[in-house]
Amino acid sequence: RELGDSIIHGNGLWAMDLMAQGWLDDQTIWTNLSKLAGLYSAYQNGCNRAAQFDVALVVDEYSLNRMANHGLIGNELLGEMQLNLYHAGLSTCYVQLKDVLAGKVDDAKLYIITSAFDMTDAQIAQLQKQLHRDGKTTLFMYNFGVLSTEQAKALTGMDFAEGSVDSTRLTLSEQSAVPGLKASSHTAVTARAMTVTGGQTATLGTYSDGSVGFAIKKTAEYTTIYFGDSVISTDNLKAIAKACGIHVYTDTKDVFMANQNLAVLHTTSAGTKTVSFGRKVDVYDYFENKWYTGVDSVSLPMEKGKTKYLFFGEKSEIESWKLPAY
């Protein structure tokens, strides 16, 4: 699973034996890693294209310095959000704000910004240039830190008021703009909030005092969403993605990762798992050395805790990568 994640995102990892307990002292582990390292090299050399993703979870390391209760809120905005995205059946990458501003993350349709807490006017103008176009959707979470309400409006197109609420738990309201949203009992560990006071296309949810904490602004060029809590559930991530026209590969809550031609599925429960691709493709089940040609989905009986590598696209192209047999 972990090496599949690395292949998809083009990153690396290292083996670490926590507390020197001998966790990696088994030859079968190293034999397996050796096999998969060969696959990684063949894929990178054969595909030879930058990975593309539908969703980007965007983090601004500088803004995190402005975060109170850093451990608690950080665990939710970063850790829990990443875990929920792992289970949402989406093609997701994890990037820094500076790379979005530099135009290095241009392929995504949905950008989830969890820490827009401290940005200059120049950065805001650049973010508008990068994201307020081409039908892109930007989802801002929690609050805007030390940014003024005018700066928050520049980012979202919505009007805001600063204040506090008894709870950031949101009660859902309007559903037509984002069908399929489900109620959540979550509330952030701090009650500081920014509330939407105008400019939204639709109100999606309210705090306990009736003020707006979840809203969407749709324009002809782009969409923005403000979500005032610190965690979005897997179900609601799926609903937001579908509303953005993003393909959801799985309806289960198994671990799922994908770029434009490789999907990795890791099961959290046993059963028949269906992965859909949204179009007709050829699919190569790597570990089974099995092809499915001209299909828009595959259904696979799987035990709990098993991993699949599914290469998809044109069979001739995938075969040209000369992936080593497992």
Side-chain angles (χ1 to χ4, degrees), residues 40-51:
Y40 192 167
S41 297
Y43 171 73
Q44 294 292 342
N45 293 331
C47 180
N48 197 29
R49 292 198 304 272

Side-chain angles (χ1 to χ4, degrees), residues 6-326:
S6 290
I7 294 172
I8 283 171
H9 292 94
N11 57 24
L13 51 84
W14 66 93
M16 180 175 66
D17 186 351
L18 289 175
M19 301 179 290
Q21 295 293 303
W23 292 1
L24 304 177
D25 187 16
D26 190 307
Q27 186 58 44
T28 57
I29 294 175
W30 297 101
T31 300
N32 193 45
L33 286 174
S34 178
K35 287 183 179 181
L36 295 177
L39 170 67
Y40 192 167
S41 297
Y43 171 73
Q44 294 292 342
N45 293 331
C47 180
N48 197 29
R49 292 198 304 272
Q52 297 176 355
F53 302 92
D54 296 327
V55 180
L57 180 65
V58 183
V59 177
D60 179 19
E61 289 191 331
Y62 179 79
S63 281
L64 297 180
N65 295 324
R66 297 292 191 177
M67 185 184 293
N69 295 318
H70 187 281
L72 295 172
I73 293 297
N75 285 344
E76 295 192 330
L77 289 172
L78 303 179
E80 288 195 41
M81 280 300 298
Q82 188 172 0
L83 287 173
N84 285 351
L85 281 164
Y86 277 143
H87 296 274
L90 301 170
S91 169
T92 304
C93 61
Y94 308 91
V95 300
Q96 293 190 56
L97 177 65
K98 65 180 182 180
D99 291 323
V100 177
L101 294 174
K104 296 180 179 179
V105 192
D106 195 43
D107 298 307
K109 299 176 183 177
L110 171 63
Y111 297 78
I112 303 173
I113 302 182
T114 62
S115 53
F117 300 149
D118 191 358
M119 300 171 63
T120 65
D121 287 336
Q123 287 177 314
I124 291 171
Q126 184 64 18
L127 198 62
Q128 290 174 312
K129 180 181 178 181
Q130 295 296 334
L131 301 185
H132 289 186
R133 61 181 175 86
D134 298 335
K136 294 179 182 293
T137 297
T138 309
L139 168 62
F140 294 93
M141 290 184 58
Y142 189 50
N143 61 45
F144 292 97
V146 300
L147 297 184
S148 67
T149 54
E150 291 78 12
Q151 288 173 313
K153 182 174 182 178
L155 288 169
T156 65
M158 292 181 261
D159 299 309
F160 287 87
E162 296 183 75
S164 62
V165 295
D166 293 335
S167 168
T168 60
R169 179 176 177 177
L170 291 160
T171 299
L172 298 180
S173 50
E174 170 68 38
Q175 292 292 295
S176 61
V178 184
L181 290 174
K182 296 184 179 180
S184 170
S185 60
H186 182 270
T187 185
V189 295
T190 179
R192 183 177 184 272
M194 295 182 77
T195 59
V196 179
T197 58
Q200 69 268 39
T201 305
T203 295
L204 302 174
T206 57
Y207 297 125
S208 56
D209 63 359
S211 60
V212 178
F214 189 12
I216 186 170
K217 168 89 172 185
K218 286 192 173 186
T219 75
E221 293 80 25
Y222 65 92
T223 298
T224 57
I225 301 173
Y226 175 67
F227 180 83
D229 204 351
S230 53
V231 175
I232 301 178
S233 69
T234 294
D235 287 329
N236 288 342
L237 285 167
K238 288 176 183 281
I240 290 170
K242 289 177 180 178
C244 297
I246 293 172
H247 179 66
V248 178
Y249 288 80
T250 64
D251 287 330
T252 64
K253 292 185 179 180
D254 298 295
V255 174
F256 181 85
M257 300 160 282
N259 60 20
Q260 73 272 28
N261 52 33
L262 171 59
V264 172
L265 175 69
H266 179 85
T267 55
T268 58
S269 62
T272 298
K273 309 296 181 176
T274 299
V275 179
S276 68
F277 299 94
R279 67 186 194 280
K280 295 287 184 181
V281 293
D282 302 323
V283 181
Y284 178 47
D285 183 339
Y286 177 70
F287 293 118
E288 297 297 327
N289 191 26
K290 181 177 181 180
W291 282 97
Y292 303 84
T293 57
V295 298
D296 56 15
S297 67
V298 293
S299 294
L300 308 164
M302 296 180 66
E303 300 175 9
K304 180 180 178 179
K306 297 298 181 180
T307 301
K308 287 283 188 183
Y309 290 3
L310 302 173
F311 294 92
F312 63 94
E314 294 288 337
K315 182 177 181 180
S316 57
E317 180 184 13
I318 296 171
E319 287 181 327
S320 73
W321 301 340
K322 301 186 184 305
L323 304 178
Y326 182 69

